[in-house]
Amino acid sequence: MNDPTPPFAAPVGTHDVLGPASAQWEGLISRFADWTYRYGFSLVLTPIFEDEGVFSRGIGEGSDVFRKEMYVFEDRGKRRYALRPEGTASVVRAFVQHRPTTPWKAWYVTPAFRYERPQKGRYRQHHQLGVEVIGTDDPAVDVEVIALADGFYRSIGLERLRLLINSMGHGACRAAYLAALSEYLEGHELSLCDEHRTQWRRNALRVLDCKRPECVTVTDAGPFLVDWLCEPCRAHFDAVVGGLAEVGISGTLSPRLVRGFDYYTRTTFEFVSDALDGAQNAVGGGGRYDGLTERLGGPPTSGVGFGSGVERLLLARTAEGRVDPLIERTLDVFVVDGGEGGPIGPLVERLRRAGLAVERAYDGRSLKAQMKVADRSGARLALLVGTEGPGSTVTIRDLRASESTQQRVPEHELVEALTDRLTKTRL
RNA sequence: GUGGGCGUAGCUCAGUUGGUUAGAGCGCCAGGUUGUGGUCCUGGAGGCCGCGGGUUCGACCCCCGUCGCUCACCCCA
């Protein structure tokens, strides 16, 4: 009973979600489920660990995530696995394995793991929600995915959002651009920042994403991918931007936006919140990955999707002053045992089976104590049973009204009476 | 990987230049007054002051180490 400090705590960079925070999570996730439903998506569940190759080939060995943030381990059968660092690669692997009819529209919410030092809005185990559409390169789908993200974000109260958008090209124009960029960087190697002076060859695109002034100066004067797009890629990008405008969504062309994973082709985008500061202002992002299925052993198949960090979204909501849980989780009735009737268990069960949200107290507490618990439970109504001896009537008491109002009701009319009162108190 | 800040009750925190039984508010429990909650009053439970070592007659306070939390840099959600 008098343990000093508990022997265990959640591991570094992980956290438990309970209390008011868990209501926010429940609300956020159910709201996201609503939005994906409207757009024709269905839920996909995949394991949180995969063969390491799913991620090394998927997100790319040149990505920072793979190089220094992967949670890899060997199991008892000496197989090398990795905890998923993001959502897309697993979903694409599942697509290749099961080959659902296309276009396949799947949504997910899942833990994701990055081995790095935790800080505000960034954890070793965090959670991501997102969608993927696999099996079409129609720019209308890019528009849908972005519109879904935008609509969902706004529905949870994020208003200070900006959409950044870019095209990474595909195939020949991407290759031609990479060659040009490499040639350019080679000539300006000495002017790059400390890290990229030696590392740029690993992944030249990452230099575009570098925020250090040395790199910015160099890349500003160099080639940008949007100027190198081939005709089909150009047309695709124009169709995406045009389609967004048609549905009333405006974005900013952001030629530096290359994102963290190697698999992106053509459309890439990111939503940043001006309510969050600096380095962690991205609340979500995604793009197209037209070569990813092949990398994972499938047929050439186009795909596009986006993902968002749940913790980051909640942080952004808070920063915008939104604390409401987005979902109603209020008890309808709290049953108080007056002690002079029979056991209240059967009555509580009957009400629950009738569809009401019902709670009660335990441990034989006093009437006063039960009323206190009832009050704090947030229930709309208290139901007092057995307060005036055994009988067939119970008392309904409104816990919300400032002037307490009570009504005695015969037990056989109880459900109707409660339903009736609840309808009134909700108005 | 690199730096800064912080570890005292379930929570938020006080704790005087080191000095005896370590405090407050909130929460929790019980009782009183409202027939029966919310307001108010009374009482109570709950702390090896993160952990280990050192200095000292004496350490929550000073020193060293350690673990943990947190914030920032890098990068990402």
Side-chain angles (χ1 to χ4, degrees):
Chain A
M1 278 309 286
N2 54 349
D3 312 315
T5 45
F8 301 114
V12 173
T14 70
H15 59 130
D16 304 312
V17 178
L18 64 164
S22 76
Q24 298 230 353
W25 276 71
E26 191 179 354
L28 193 79
I29 291 166
S30 71
R31 184 65 62 92
F32 187 61
D34 282 350
W35 277 81
T36 58
Y37 173 62
R38 293 188 207 176
Y39 285 74
F41 286 80
S42 53
L43 179 66
V44 60
L45 302 174
T46 61
I48 60 168
F49 64 97
E50 298 270 0
D51 281 325
E52 186 183 18
V54 171
F55 304 118
S56 58
R57 291 196 213 168
I59 66 178
E61 297 181 345
S63 67
D64 285 321
V65 168
F66 180 77
R67 285 197 293 121
K68 46 189 191 187
E69 297 173 8
M70 286 266 282
Y71 249 108
V72 294
F73 63 96
E74 199 172 72
D75 78 353
R76 297 185 187 208
K78 306 292 182 200
R79 284 174 287 249
R80 281 185 65 77
Y81 287 120
L83 299 181
R84 74 156 50 110
E86 56 95 44
T88 302
S90 297
V91 176
V92 170
R93 192 230 82 223
F95 171 81
V96 170
Q97 182 174 341
H98 302 285
R99 301 295 301 281
T101 53
T102 57
W104 186 43
K105 302 172 86 170
W107 73 275
Y108 61 84
V109 51
T110 176
F113 303 83
R114 306 273 174 88
Y115 192 86
E116 54 187 342
R117 286 290 278 275
Q119 68 184 270
K120 196 177 179 69
R122 196 185 67 177
Y123 307 93
R124 285 188 176 172
Q125 176 177 343
H126 66 285
H127 299 78
Q128 293 190 3
L129 48 79
V131 303
E132 312 292 347
V133 181
I134 301 178
T136 169
D137 66 355
D138 190 330
V141 174
D142 302 50
V143 173
E144 259 193 35
V145 164
I146 294 172
L148 163 56
D150 180 77
F152 165 62
Y153 294 149
R154 293 186 192 284
S155 84
I156 62 171
L158 301 185
E159 289 168 7
R160 299 171 59 192
L161 280 184
R162 281 181 296 123
L163 168 64
L164 309 178
I165 188 165
N166 190 23
S167 177
M168 307 281 292
H170 183 33
C173 62
R174 169 79 164 264
Y177 170 73
L178 275 174
L181 179 64
S182 295
E183 188 183 339
Y184 174 77
L185 290 178
E186 180 124 44
H188 296 77
E189 194 174 68
L190 297 177
S191 309
L192 295 173
C193 74
D194 291 345
E195 183 187 341
H196 289 116
R197 191 154 49 237
T198 54
Q199 302 288 308
W200 70 267
R201 282 168 209 277
R202 187 184 344 247
N203 187 344
L205 287 174
R206 302 250 24 103
V207 182
L208 292 176
D209 202 30
C210 181
K211 270 96 182 168
R212 293 203 187 85
E214 304 95 290
C215 283
V216 173
T217 306
V218 171
T219 52
D220 262 345
F224 279 113
L225 220 164
V226 282
D227 303 316
W228 285 68
L229 296 178
C230 61
E231 196 42 50
C233 284
R234 181 81 244 168
H236 190 275
F237 189 51
D238 289 344
V240 172
V241 173
L244 286 171
E246 283 166 13
V247 297
I249 295 173
S250 59
T252 307
L253 175 64
S254 196
R256 292 181 174 283
L257 184 68
V258 298
R259 312 233 349 116
F261 306 127
D262 292 356
Y263 54 61
Y264 285 117
T265 57
R266 293 191 164 171
T267 315
T268 55
F269 60 91
E270 193 165 286
F271 283 87
V272 297
S273 167
D274 290 326
L276 295 176
D277 36 37
Q280 276 139 228
N281 64 352
V283 294
R288 186 159 274 291
Y289 41 86
D290 289 345
L292 184 51
T293 49
E294 291 153 273
R295 288 207 220 181
L296 295 179
T301 315
S302 300
V304 60
F306 86 93
S308 261
V310 175
E311 288 85 352
R312 194 70 65 79
L313 287 172
L314 292 173
L315 217 53
R317 282 194 89 223
T318 305
E320 295 220 28
R322 293 291 295 265
V323 294
D324 52 296
L326 294 167
I327 192 173
E328 181 129 2
R329 291 279 116 142
T330 307
L331 285 173
D332 294 315
V333 179
F334 196 102
V335 178
V336 171
D337 186 356
E340 294 172 36
I344 61 169
L347 173 61
V348 170
E349 187 60 25
R350 185 154 67 86
L351 297 180
R352 287 171 172 164
R353 300 250 170 170
L356 296 172
V358 183
E359 184 56 295
R360 54 164 292 184
Y362 306 97
D363 302 320
R365 306 245 260 152
S366 71
L367 193 66
K368 176 193 171 87
Q370 290 184 68
M371 285 303 294
K372 251 179 134 146
V373 176
D375 183 49
R376 286 167 198 174
S377 75
R380 295 172 214 280
L381 301 175
L383 193 62
L384 293 101
V385 184
T387 47
E388 309 191 12
S392 56
T393 68
V394 295
T395 303
I396 299 173
R397 181 179 173 94
D398 191 331
L399 291 171
R400 298 294 177 80
S402 49
E403 296 287 321
S404 54
T405 53
Q406 297 194 174
Q407 124 185 57
R408 289 187 68 78
V409 178
E411 267 211 57
H412 64 275
E413 295 172 12
L414 185 54
V415 173
E416 283 178 321
L418 286 172
T419 307
D420 187 52
R421 286 291 288 265
L422 288 166
T423 309
K424 284 179 188 157
T425 56
R426 282 199 179 103
L427 297 178

